[in-house]
Amino acid sequence: MNPLLADPAEFASFLQRFFAERLLQQQAVSPRTVAAYRDAFRLLLVYAERSLGKPPAKLTLEDFNAQLVLGFLTHLEDERHNTVRSRNARLAAVRAFARYVAVQCPPALLLVQQILAIPMKRFDKPLLGFLSREEVRALLAAPDTTTWCGRRDRMLLKLLYNTGARVSELVGIRVRDLALDVTPSVRLHGKGRKQRTVPLWKETVVEIRGWIDFAGLQQDQPLLPNRWGRQMTRSNVAERIARAVSTATPLCPSLRGRTISPHTLRHATAMHLLQAGVDLTVIALWLGHESPVTTHGYVEADLALKERALAAIAPPELRRTRYRPTDALLKFLQGL
């Protein structure tokens, strides 16, 4: 056995260098990617301590094997009740580290190959859920605009629907990201450090101007702060949307019993753009999709669009006849 594989200091050193050198210096990944990989390894190390009886400082490269990783993935699904998407995301982090180890430590190549052979799990992709225009109007009217939180929530919901932003993009908007004069727009900071500019409706601009004056926001402050003036969290946004849904449900019964997240409003924006005749490539740019293929899911979910396409093609007029085989054919079949 190679002594490198049994030395705890080697595993700890590789893991630290993977984050400090590979991710931060060489690849310069976004802070969100670092946080996602960090959380994956925190969970893995806690699981390894429980299953192997070793604290993280005592783990070796020999311990970091396919059996441990497979057990960890099962733990995520069975005990933590993670979705297949989350399971695959954790596996992606582990595989990235395994590839780094393969380059830096050739004696660990066999262990790494066994880890890299673990496949991503396939899963059923359900149709996208979205809101109708009436449901969106009910949500926008739900917050009590006589209160500070109500005005902020109304601004939050309107911006989500206008821009189709991801929740991380929404809470990251600062006042300086807005252009409200000649061509009103907002600059969104998307995944992978990508930025895009999304136009704003006149009604949204009026709402934004009133909110900035009312809240006394400065250029470097978040446009949608929490009560302490700091950036809102994902859970905070989800909670405020759930509150708006609860308020709007009595007036819009179709909302009852539905799970509505910030991403549901993003889907609603895309579907309403599609139904208005906007080209798929434009919608992909609007939403910040890396490939228009991602946007095709909205076409799949829009039954009305399919019905219009079907109506545009007249069914062929065919005379229905009954098939009658010739005597020769019957004789052939009987002879088989």
Side-chain angles (χ1 to χ4, degrees), residues 78 93 125 215 232 267 273 313 326:
D78 295 348
K125 191 173 182 180
M232 295 179 73
H267 293 329
L273 287 171
I313 305 175
T326 63

Side-chain angles (χ1 to χ4, degrees), residues 162-174:
N162 186 159
T163 63
R166 302 176 180 91
V167 65
S168 58
E169 297 169 344
L170 179 80
V171 299
I173 297 174
R174 298 193 175 267

Side-chain angles (χ1 to χ4, degrees), residues 88-317:
N88 288 346
R90 304 302 189 197
L91 177 57
V94 172
R95 290 170 70 170
F97 174 63
R99 284 190 291 269
Y100 175 77
V101 171
V103 174
Q104 300 294 324
C105 183
L109 188 57
L110 178 59
L111 293 173
V112 167
Q113 287 177 334
Q114 292 172 346
I115 292 174
L116 295 178
I118 299 173
M120 294 290 181
K121 181 174 284 190
R122 299 178 66 87
F123 57 92
D124 294 332
K125 191 173 182 180
L127 289 177
L128 299 173
F130 63 97
L131 302 174
S132 66
R133 297 179 189 274
E134 293 73 22
E135 290 168 340
V136 170
R137 280 195 287 267
L139 274 185
L140 294 178
D144 180 6
T145 54
T146 62
T147 66
W148 186 91
C149 285
R151 290 194 66 165
R152 194 248 349 246
D153 292 352
R154 173 74 177 272
M155 186 76 266
L156 183 152
L157 291 166
K158 183 161 284 190
L159 264 178
L160 268 178
Y161 180 57
N162 186 159
T163 63
R166 302 176 180 91
V167 65
S168 58
E169 297 169 344
L170 179 80
V171 299
I173 297 174
R174 298 193 175 267
V175 177
R176 65 170 179 263
D177 293 322
L178 297 163
L180 304 178
D181 297 325
V182 181
T183 306
S185 63
V186 59
R187 184 171 64 251
L188 300 177
H189 304 271
K191 294 167 61 177
R193 291 205 178 99
K194 297 184 181 70
Q195 296 186 15
R196 68 183 187 280
T197 301
V198 179
L200 297 172
W201 297 318
K202 293 181 179 179
E203 296 81 359
T204 308
V205 173
V206 171
E207 193 93 24
I208 290 174
R209 290 185 187 276
W211 165 245
I212 291 175
D213 292 340
F214 173 77
L217 300 177
Q218 302 302 315
Q219 288 294 309
D220 289 334
Q221 288 185 276
L223 180 63
L224 300 167
N226 59 19
R227 296 179 184 180
W228 298 276
R230 295 191 289 270
Q231 181 174 302
M232 295 179 73
T233 64
R234 292 171 176 268
S235 59
N236 194 189
V237 173
E239 177 190 353
R240 303 311 299 183
I241 291 178
R243 184 184 292 265
V245 171
S246 178
T247 303
T249 298
L251 300 177
C252 187
S254 61
L255 294 172
R256 183 170 287 111
R258 296 179 61 183
T259 301
I260 298 175
S261 68
H263 225 66
T264 308
L265 280 164
R266 175 174 164 85
H267 293 329
T269 303
M271 290 300 299
H272 297 169
L273 287 171
L274 181 65
Q275 292 166 352
V278 179
D279 188 80
L280 273 178
T281 55
V282 177
I283 298 175
L285 291 171
W286 192 297
L287 298 181
H289 287 164
E290 191 163 346
S291 168
V293 174
T294 310
T295 320
H296 290 170
Y298 296 107
V299 179
E300 181 65 32
D302 189 3
L303 183 59
L305 185 67
K306 296 176 184 176
E307 289 175 343
R308 290 197 298 272
L310 183 64
I313 305 175
E317 295 183 3

